Amino acid sequence: MNLPNTLTLIRVLLIPVFIFFLSFHTPPPQSWALASAAIFLVASITDWLDGYIARKTGQITKFGKLFDPIADKLLTSSALILLVAMNEIPAWIAIVIIGREYAVTGLR
């Protein structure tokens, strides 16, 4: 287990925390919404950081190649689904974005 893979796992573990903060109250109090935004930001930064470290130090693994895109899809999909549930965006937008994400990943 190297640092990039650990960051990927941290990102996956942050997803339920993000979901909890954003969906515990409907609509979430401003402090909870800000906390969920901060969690999403940290998770997004780990996405960039794990790729940067893996490429820079040559720590690219089969696990990372497989699991990093899955972690990304789980994070973005959960955010979009929650935004639909909160009536912040129309469902068709989430369907198009999520469908495109999975289609592009499937083609790779």
Side-chain angles (χ1 to χ4, degrees):
M1 182 61 66
N2 58 25
L3 181 58
N5 290 345
T6 302
L7 290 171
T8 298
L9 289 175
I10 289 170
R11 184 164 67 254
V12 170
L13 294 174
L14 285 174
I15 293 169
V17 178
F18 166 72
I19 291 170
F20 174 79
F21 273 92
L22 197 56
S23 65
F24 189 75
H25 297 286
T26 305
Q30 186 175 4
S31 60
W32 286 57
L34 288 173
S36 64
I39 293 165
F40 188 88
L41 180 64
V42 168
S44 298
I45 290 170
T46 65
D47 180 29
W48 172 81
L49 190 59
D50 71 15
Y52 177 79
I53 292 171
R55 286 186 300 276
K56 196 76 165 169
T57 61
Q59 297 182 32
I60 298 170
T61 64
K62 289 181 182 181
F63 175 83
K65 286 181 184 180
L66 175 68
F67 209 65
D68 184 63
I70 292 171
D72 297 343
K73 302 310 175 254
L74 289 172
L75 180 64
T76 56
S77 296
S78 64
L80 288 166
I81 291 167
L82 286 170
L83 289 173
V84 169
M86 296 167 54
N87 292 319
E88 295 294 327
I89 63 171
W92 70 267
I93 292 175
I95 291 168
V96 168
I97 294 171
I98 292 170
R100 181 210 169 271
E101 289 290 321
Y102 284 92
V104 168
T105 300
L107 292 174
R108 287 184 188 171

